[in-house]
Amino acid sequence: MSAHPMLALLGLVLVGAAAPIGMAQEFPAPPRIGSPELPETLSADAAKVALERAYGWFLTNQKPDGSWATGVLEGILEMGFSVETYYAWQVASHGLAVSALLSAEPTPEIEAALERAVDWLVTTRLPRRGSDWDVDYVWSALYGLVATTQAVSDNRFREGERAAALGARGREFAAILAQNEVPSGGWAYYDDPPFTRRPKWATSFCTALVLPAVRDAIARGWIEDEKMLERAIRAVRRAALPNGAYTYNADEAVPRHGGGEHIDNVKGSLGRIQVCHFGLASVGDERITAERVRWGLEQFFLHHRFLRVAHGRPIPHEAYYYNAGYFYLFAHYYAAEAIELLPDPAEREMWHAKLRPFLVEVQSERGSAVDFLRSGYMELAGAAYLALALRRGLPTTEPL
């Protein structure tokens, strides 16, 4: 795993941080988890109740311009990144919110919120690279491309002005990915010295999450280089270890396991296993069999305590096996997607029923969820991951 000296500085800031800078909006602290009353399973009906609360958060907190959160530094706990990065995180989280609303059962309120959210996504300015080392604007392109490819595949946005605007913005997100694709394929969000225009290392999870969107963008002509998908698939495959985990860094020609409590241990790869299985299977990789997906889910629940203990911790990778607080909701959403890869509906419901308690447990009274710092973009992303994960496995009258 590659690290930048600025992250060490960030760690010192986090350790010595006091109260956050005063903001007009207050965000809830992550709820404590680990309740002994937590049920082993949760029904679809109970999930629907929690899901409606999550959608309610989107409706209540959406601004008149269609956005959520802010694009600026909201507290000293996040000092150390480029000024542009905070806006890039807002755009990335907004893309996730669009995906969440696209998956919702349509109501007049949801439809209006979705249209406003789409309008903001296609008209807001594109983020830019923040600095020589900070390439976090790639996150906006990753989830922006996911959102735009999903939206133009939805019957509500197949034609008309919004369809055209989504296509134009999707091409722009694709162009950011093309500009920042590492030479060996894939994407990440930092660069190491010597700093170069094209970053030099990718992560398995960034690359895996966007594979279906890259495939769809190529099919729509948004991406002309058809080899981009092949390179990205090879990067994720290259990250696969014999122990079943996926390495954090997907750029190594020969994957290495550091041993002990290394992040590339299965216990540090619980979320990466799910997103890599989802991404590869979604683009037709026959190596990702139902047996392999099932094994990944078994490991997820067997070692779940390592995600739980990291939940809410303010320092990146401070927990066992270098788990970070922000792994939690990401991992649970892609576990829900991995469950949907299984062929038997009864088995899928069994796994979803086991996953739901860990989602509802971290839902705040507001209906959202926060697993790391209390900034607006984190609450927005958390609410989206929560809604998307709960929505998977529930009956629908509309295609997801």
Side-chain angles (χ1 to χ4, degrees), residues 337-386:
E337 290 287 6
I339 291 169
E340 288 298 294
L341 299 173
L342 297 170
D344 181 15
E347 183 184 7
R348 293 199 298 268
E349 173 53 27
M350 181 271 291
W351 287 111
H352 280 299
K354 291 184 65 174
L355 183 69
R356 292 170 189 141
F358 297 119
L359 292 163
V360 173
E361 181 183 29
V362 300
Q363 187 174 28
S364 71
E365 294 181 358
R366 293 156 61 102
S368 62
V370 180
D371 56 11
F372 186 52
L373 302 179
R374 296 181 292 151
S375 53
Y377 83 88
M378 283 300 300
E379 186 174 20
L380 175 58
Y385 283 135
L386 176 74

Side-chain angles (χ1 to χ4, degrees), residues 43-56 360 363 367 390 394:
S43 69
D45 286 341
K48 290 178 183 177
V49 175
L51 183 59
E52 288 305 313
R53 293 179 55 225
Y55 290 143
V360 173
Q363 187 174 28
L390 289 172
L394 295 181

Side-chain angles (χ1 to χ4, degrees), residues 207-221:
T207 306
L209 74 86
V210 80
L211 289 179
V214 170
R215 174 204 58 202
D216 294 346
I218 290 173
R220 292 184 176 277

Side-chain angles (χ1 to χ4, degrees), residues 107-316:
T107 65
E109 295 78 14
I110 289 289
E111 295 292 281
L114 174 59
E115 290 179 356
R116 290 193 297 269
V118 166
D119 290 345
W120 189 88
L121 183 65
V122 300
T123 58
T124 192
R125 72 171 178 84
L126 286 173
R128 300 177 181 178
R129 181 167 176 163
S131 68
D132 52 6
W133 69 270
D134 190 349
V135 199
D136 273 296
Y137 85 126
V138 168
W139 280 112
S140 66
L142 293 171
Y143 278 122
L145 190 66
V146 170
T148 51
T149 54
Q150 289 176 345
V152 295
S153 298
D154 188 290
N155 290 332
R156 293 167 288 187
F157 300 103
R158 288 184 186 273
E159 299 177 349
E161 293 182 3
R162 286 194 175 95
L166 282 163
R169 181 46 54 99
R171 289 184 179 89
E172 291 173 324
F173 286 135
I176 294 175
L177 293 184
Q179 183 177 355
N180 290 277
E181 181 188 11
V182 306
S184 57
W187 298 273
Y189 39 89
Y190 298 130
D191 194 20
D192 293 327
F195 302 116
T196 50
R197 184 190 65 78
R198 184 181 294 274
K200 296 178 291 297
W201 64 278
T203 68
S204 57
F205 51 94
C206 284
T207 306
L209 74 86
V210 80
L211 289 179
V214 170
R215 174 204 58 202
D216 294 346
I218 290 173
R220 292 184 176 277
W222 298 358
I223 296 174
E224 296 182 0
D225 181 5
E226 297 184 2
K227 297 291 185 180
M228 179 187 287
L229 179 61
E230 296 179 18
R231 293 190 295 270
I233 291 173
R234 285 200 303 269
V236 179
R237 286 177 174 172
R238 192 164 54 239
L241 291 170
N243 66 357
Y246 287 81
T247 61
Y248 196 98
N249 188 337
D251 198 49
E252 296 176 339
V254 179
R256 294 173 174 81
H257 187 296
E261 286 190 14
H262 194 266
I263 195 170
D264 292 335
N265 187 294
V266 168
K267 300 179 184 70
S269 182
L270 298 174
R272 295 195 302 281
I273 292 171
Q274 313 311 318
V275 69
C276 290
H277 285 172
F278 158 74
L280 290 172
S282 297
V283 295
D285 190 336
E286 296 181 355
R287 305 179 198 188
I288 310 303
T289 62
E291 180 180 5
R292 191 166 175 179
V293 171
R294 193 175 294 114
W295 176 87
L297 292 169
E298 289 170 352
Q299 298 304 304
F300 182 87
F301 289 102
L302 177 64
H303 302 300
H304 189 269
R305 64 190 181 278
F306 294 105
L307 289 171
R308 294 181 86 188
V309 76
H311 180 278
R313 294 197 178 197
I315 301 176

